[in-house]
Amino acid sequence: MCGILALIHANGTETSAASELHEALYLLQHRGQDACGIATCASGGKIYQCKGNGMAAKVFRDDGARVADLPGYMGIGHLRYPTAGSSANAEAQPFYVNSPYGICFAHNGNLINAPELKRFLDLEAHRHINTESDSELMVNIFANELNETGKARVNDKDIFAALQRMYGRCVGGWACTAMLAGFGLIGFRDSYGIRPLVLGSRPSETGDGTDWMMASESVALDQRGFSNVIDILPGQAVIIQKGAAPVFRQVQKPFRYAPDIFEYVYFARPDTVIDGISVQESRERMGYRLADTIRSRLGHAELADIDVVIPIPETSNTSAACVAERLKKPYCQGFVKNRYVFRTFIMPGQKAREKSVRRKLNPMKVKFDGKNVLLVDDSIVRGTTSREIVNMAREAGARKVYFASCAPRITHAHIYGIDLASPSELIAHHRDEESIAKHIGAAKVIYQTLDDLKAACAELSPRPEQEFEVGVFCGTYVTPVEPGYFEHLEKVRGETKKLKVMESAREAIRRGSASEEELKMATYGVEVNGKGELVAASGYSVDEGARTNGSRKKSRSNGKRQREGDEEPTLPRERMDISLHNFGDYAQETPGG
């Protein structure tokens, strides 16, 4: 899951597109704290860009000083949430390709036929791919199809035709914004409507005409003064040129209209409307339906035992209040949230996640002491956070802790751009509710049913028989899934962790606390085995008899000793983008530099 933006002013002499996009990044910061960026286009078609790892305040500096480097009347923005790809600076978006026509590209989603696309780009299109990001694959597929026109200048028909061919090659879920140098903006959405994209307008502030803006969530448009908000439909694309009305085209027939239900459960802001469904109201209905399930699961005696309903802030606040209302129980905020610690389930390593939960939440003893509490959370992923929260409640004096989840059991991988966890890491992948309760230390765990979750959202939809993408709960995905894709996904996840594991091993050596495995990793490198697990590289073995001053010599697997001075290539600690300038270019500058 990522956040995407696009803005075009009616007035071509306007230079403040980046300033507005920068403000909008903060409105969508919850959609991605890993990296962000903005690319703009000024008169004459010149493109400017700034991007890098970190939140908006880091990349553009707290005072937004970098925005001044991005003049232009139109631009696109991106916020990255970690997926199964790399997290290097080189994967920060927007992506840029100079041929043909100068394309900037922001992508939210995931391609589940990425290996096939990479082979095509290499062997047939002869386009180089420099990162592990499928976003780079997609922009190059689009660029290759657009290049087929052979024209010096393209029109909207050419672009729609290129998109149609791109849709024929790509499989997955996506919403994208793109900018063609000197031409205009493009927005499009996958044919299942999995990832969200909205479009709004407002009168130009500097003269005649209309400004247009696209975003992942309607709240970004609302706050910037845009109205008449509409959803880009499944399989639909829109092109907006300076001073012109949007041109819409159905570039691929809509296969289904199935937005990712996790947007309503967790990711989207409550003041957002996605595909005509209010996130706030959907969470209210999730709470009422969850309360009915709790009543049926606990029975009268256990239900009477509950003294208070407490939410795990903040996504579950709305649902928990409705649970308390329906059960006729007191509701209170028992945890204080540290707003400067962000979502924990994406953090690398279980110990890091456990420590982060303690930094993120603090229980108020007076709300727990001597009470039987019902904790309500939006979902349970690995169970790491839930177990730590239950421990904190008990430490604060709770006698008994019940735990309820607004989402059903998460048992399968998410394959459309949200890297929740590997299936083996999911607590519900191999446990029933009783063993989950025991694992996290709760008296009982109650999950929302999948039918109730779908109904809570569907009954608010303007479309009859509304469908949703719910593969994480049942393993049935709305798109076809290539054979071997899940094995590929696990290997990619392992590759993503290589740099972090290597750095962790080196740090352990510096502290003098390294294990034997960490010594091997730091000495010989890290590789991914067939299961996607990170292990010490196996191409070399330790010759226990060959040590000089405590260091280990490498022995090749064919029995030949590596010559003194031979060095194995080491993984780079960081990679910069190769196009335009980005935040990494300024990493060594002082704040006043």
Side-chain angles (χ1 to χ4, degrees):
M1 180 201 71
C2 299
I4 59 174
L5 296 158
L7 172 70
I8 185 166
H9 285 123
N11 186 347
T13 62
E14 181 63 63
T15 60
S16 64
S19 178
E20 292 207 62
L21 289 168
H22 176 242
E23 290 294 326
L25 287 178
Y26 290 98
L27 297 168
L28 298 184
Q29 187 75 80
H30 60 285
R31 297 189 69 87
Q33 298 105 39
D34 197 47
C36 65
I38 293 173
T40 61
C41 183
S43 58
K46 192 166 186 179
I47 293 174
Y48 300 84
Q49 175 180 271
C50 181
K51 64 179 184 175
N53 278 358
M55 297 172 64
K58 177 184 176 183
V59 174
F60 295 96
R61 295 190 175 172
D62 291 331
D63 59 356
R66 288 294 170 206
V67 174
D69 299 333
L70 305 170
Y73 66 92
M74 68 174 175
I76 63 174
H78 187 269
L79 294 143
R80 186 181 72 200
Y81 208 74
T83 62
S86 172
S87 59
N89 265 302
E91 275 75 22
Q93 297 186 44
F95 276 109
Y96 168 76
V97 291
N98 73 324
S99 176
Y101 316 118
I103 303 168
C104 292
F105 195 87
H107 170 249
N108 172 28
N110 198 47
L111 300 176
I112 60 177
N113 64 334
E116 173 190 332
L117 296 175
K118 198 165 189 176
R119 285 192 296 271
F120 166 77
L121 288 169
D122 180 24
L123 301 177
E124 297 185 43
H126 312 304
R127 298 185 74 93
H128 175 66
I129 300 301
N130 200 54
T131 72
E132 299 302 318
S133 170
D134 56 2
S135 304
E136 189 187 13
L137 293 176
M138 197 169 199
V139 67
N140 275 278
I141 292 289
F142 175 54
N144 182 69
E145 298 301 339
L146 197 56
N147 197 49
E148 293 298 312
T149 63
K151 293 170 143 184
R153 296 289 183 270
V154 289
N155 55 36
D156 55 1
K157 293 181 180 178
D158 298 320
I159 295 171
F160 285 134
L163 285 171
Q164 189 172 19
R165 294 192 295 272
M166 184 199 77
Y167 271 59
R169 293 191 183 277
C170 297
V171 180
W174 62 78
C176 303
T177 55
M179 179 173 67
L180 211 59
F183 180 85
L185 298 178
I186 309 164
F188 50 93
R189 193 176 180 192
D190 69 82
S191 295
Y192 299 86
I194 298 170
R195 302 258 64 88
L197 185 62
V198 293
L199 169 69
S201 63
R202 73 178 181 199
S204 173
E205 296 178 347
T206 58
D208 295 335
T210 302
D211 300 335
W212 298 91
M213 188 174 187
M214 288 181 277
S216 297
E217 295 186 28
S218 61
V219 64
L221 307 187
D222 297 339
Q223 290 292 306
R224 300 309 306 160
F226 288 80
S227 58
N228 304 314
V229 177
I230 61 171
D231 294 288
I232 304 301
L233 299 175
Q236 189 180 61
V238 59
I239 294 173
I240 312 171
Q241 297 186 60
K242 178 183 62 181
V247 179
F248 296 89
R249 182 73 54 83
Q250 197 70 37
V251 294
Q252 189 176 65
K253 69 176 184 178
F255 296 136
R256 296 165 74 174
Y257 203 143
D260 187 349
I261 207 163
F262 235 95
E263 292 280 357
Y264 304 99
V265 170
Y266 179 68
F267 289 109
R269 279 178 49 148
D271 48 352
T272 282
V273 177
I274 297 177
D275 292 308
I277 301 172
S278 163
V279 174
Q280 171 72 8
E281 291 186 23
S282 71
R283 289 175 183 168
E284 290 173 358
R285 297 185 184 224
M286 289 176 207
Y288 291 132
R289 288 178 175 271
L290 178 59
D292 293 339
T293 299
I294 292 170
R295 181 181 285 117
S296 66
R297 288 287 312 282
L298 292 186
H300 179 74
E302 283 185 300
L303 196 60
D305 201 32
I306 294 173
D307 297 310
V308 64
V309 177
I310 297 177
I312 310 304
E314 294 177 330
T315 316
S316 64
N317 289 359
T318 299
S319 298
C322 295
V323 168
E325 178 188 336
R326 181 65 63 91
L327 295 180
K328 295 181 172 56
K329 295 289 182 180
Y331 167 85
C332 76
Q333 295 278 349
F335 291 96
V336 176
K337 181 181 177 182
N338 181 344
R339 298 179 184 274
Y340 303 98
V341 177
F342 292 92
R343 291 171 167 173
T344 57
F345 74 79
I346 59 166
M347 291 185 171
Q350 183 162 309
K351 291 296 183 184
R353 286 189 289 272
E354 289 173 354
K355 290 179 181 178
S356 184
V357 173
R358 296 275 178 169
R359 290 196 299 269
K360 178 180 177 181
L361 298 175
N362 186 51
M364 292 184 280
K365 186 175 178 64
V366 67
K367 302 296 184 181
F368 291 90
D369 197 19
K371 297 176 182 176
N372 297 324
V373 300
L374 171 60
L375 303 181
V376 179
D377 206 351
D378 50 74
S379 58
I380 305 173
V381 182
R382 294 179 177 91
T384 305
T385 300
S386 304
R387 184 174 62 244
E388 201 66 21
I389 287 170
V390 171
N391 288 338
M392 291 162 66
R394 292 191 181 281
E395 290 167 9
R399 288 186 300 159
K400 191 179 292 186
V401 180
Y402 297 92
F403 204 101
S405 169
C406 294
R409 295 166 65 242
I410 300 172
T411 54
H412 292 76
H414 195 291
I415 63 174
Y416 302 114
I418 305 170
D419 191 24
L420 293 176
S422 300
S424 60
E425 297 174 311
L426 297 171
I427 191 171
H429 182 69
H430 54 282
R431 292 183 176 94
D432 59 19
E433 291 185 14
E434 184 177 346
S435 59
I436 291 170
K438 183 177 180 180
H439 182 78
I440 70 172
K444 265 191 181 175
V445 169
I446 304 97
Y447 282 96
Q448 182 92 265
T449 68
L450 182 53
D451 286 344
D452 278 346
L453 175 61
K454 291 191 288 186
C457 300
E459 60 194 18
L460 294 166
S461 174
R463 292 166 296 280
E465 300 180 5
Q466 176 69 60
E467 295 182 274
F468 296 97
E469 159 50 36
V470 293
V472 291
F473 305 118
C474 60
T476 301
Y477 302 94
V478 297
T479 67
V481 180
E482 295 276 316
Y485 174 73
F486 292 103
E487 290 79 3
H488 163 75
L489 192 62
E490 289 306 297
K491 288 182 180 179
V492 171
R493 281 195 178 104
E495 293 288 348
T496 302
K497 297 174 184 175
K498 272 187 175 181
L499 288 175
K500 294 179 180 178
V501 169
M502 282 287 292
E503 184 58 32
S504 176
R506 290 167 181 158
E507 180 61 28
I509 291 174
R510 285 192 289 268
R511 295 194 308 266
S513 60
S515 66
E516 184 72 13
E517 184 69 10
E518 286 173 323
L519 285 170
K520 291 179 182 178
M521 287 179 174
T523 305
Y524 307 125
V526 177
E527 66 183 10
V528 183
N529 64 18
K531 298 178 181 179
E533 299 169 339
L534 290 179
V535 296
S538 59
Y540 296 87
S541 61
V542 178
D543 183 349
E544 293 294 336
R547 300 190 183 196
T548 305
N549 295 328
S551 65
R552 301 178 183 227
K553 301 274 188 176
K554 297 178 183 178
S555 298
R556 297 190 185 277
S557 56
N558 61 10
K560 295 181 180 179
R561 177 72 55 79
Q562 183 180 0
R563 293 192 305 273
E564 198 70 45
D566 285 355
E567 294 292 337
E568 278 298 297
T570 58
L571 292 168
R573 295 181 64 177
E574 187 52 272
R575 301 202 320 278
M576 295 293 110
D577 188 13
I578 59 172
S579 64
L580 305 182
H581 75 270
N582 62 78
F583 173 73
D585 298 336
Y586 308 102
Q588 302 304 316
E589 289 191 11
T590 61

